[in-house]
């Protein structure tokens, strides 16, 4: 007696399977990146649009550091949004982001302190320093969550 088995596979394509990973913008890391980019953008615009800086070198340092990390985090955001990490598997992306967050947190914090000290009461420069501190806090939170992903306990799947 012979039996014939017919298997039918139905695949449905959802929006999560597309090129754009819009679900990432609703996750905690995605929201943190958006908040960091907004805070850094506002800080950059506050410094960039003010004429007559009290301390030219200090504000240039702040502007360069903020702009550099704004671009870097925008690139990371686009990498997650378009799922480009899968196309470049030779790079350890969680470790790369952890490194950027650690360096960025320290440099933005130093630049914010410098901007706050050298603002000489100019309200836009004070606001830039405040948004720099907000970005520092958000980056520290991202650093903490990135650390727990990168260096946290890993399960091997082996039965004990």
């Amino acid at each position: 007696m012979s039996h014939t088995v017919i298997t039918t596979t139905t695949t449905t394509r959802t929006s999560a399977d597309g090129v754009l990973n819009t679900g990432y913008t609703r996750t905690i890391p995605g929201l943190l990146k958006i908040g960091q980019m907004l805070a850094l953008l506002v800080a950059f615009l506050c410094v960039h649009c003010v004429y007559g800086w009290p301390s030219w070198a200090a504000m240039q340092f702040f502007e360069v550091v903020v702009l550099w990390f704004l671009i870097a985090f925008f690139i990371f955001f686009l990498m997650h949004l378009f799922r480009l990490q899968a196309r470049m598997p030779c790079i350890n992306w969680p470790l790369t982001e952890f490194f950027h967050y650690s360096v960025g947190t320290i440099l933005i914090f130093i630049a914010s302190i410098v901007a706050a000290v050298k603002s000489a009461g100019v309200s836009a420069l004070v606001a830039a320093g405040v948004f720099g501190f907000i970005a520092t806090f958000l980056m520290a939170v991202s650093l903490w969550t990135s650390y727990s992903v990168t260096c946290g306990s890993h399960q091997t799947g082996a039965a004990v």
Side-chain angles (χ1 to χ4, degrees):
M1 192 187 264
S2 68
H3 295 276
T4 305
V5 177
I6 299 174
T7 305
T8 306
T9 305
T10 307
T11 58
T12 57
R13 190 167 176 95
T14 62
S15 63
D17 294 335
V19 175
L20 200 61
N21 184 11
T22 56
Y24 179 71
T25 59
R26 292 183 297 272
T27 64
I28 298 296
L31 291 172
L32 283 171
K33 272 192 189 59
I34 291 170
Q36 292 160 8
M37 289 187 299
L38 287 175
L40 290 173
L41 180 65
V42 170
F44 174 76
L45 291 175
C46 285
V47 170
H48 189 71
C49 294
V50 170
Y51 296 107
W53 290 337
S55 175
W56 186 82
M59 294 306 138
Q60 280 291 318
F61 171 69
F62 182 80
E63 197 173 32
V64 166
V65 169
V66 165
L67 185 61
W68 170 259
F69 285 102
L70 175 63
I71 292 169
F73 293 140
F74 184 68
I75 290 171
F76 280 131
F77 182 73
L78 289 178
M79 299 261 326
H80 284 285
L81 197 62
F82 290 107
R83 298 180 184 145
L84 296 176
Q85 298 94 341
R87 295 187 180 139
M88 291 182 269
C90 59
I91 298 173
N92 186 348
W93 288 108
L95 190 61
T96 303
E97 282 195 48
F98 177 76
F99 173 72
H100 269 84
Y101 280 124
S102 59
V103 172
T105 302
I106 293 167
L107 287 179
I108 296 291
F109 184 64
I110 291 170
S112 299
I113 290 172
V114 168
V117 169
K118 299 288 186 173
S119 67
V122 179
S123 61
L125 299 179
V126 172
V130 168
F131 278 101
F133 286 122
I134 292 171
T136 301
F137 173 74
L138 292 174
M139 288 164 51
V141 171
S142 291
L143 181 65
W144 179 257
T145 59
S146 172
Y147 175 77
S148 65
V149 168
T150 304
C151 302
S153 62
H154 300 287
Q155 295 181 356
T156 60
V160 180

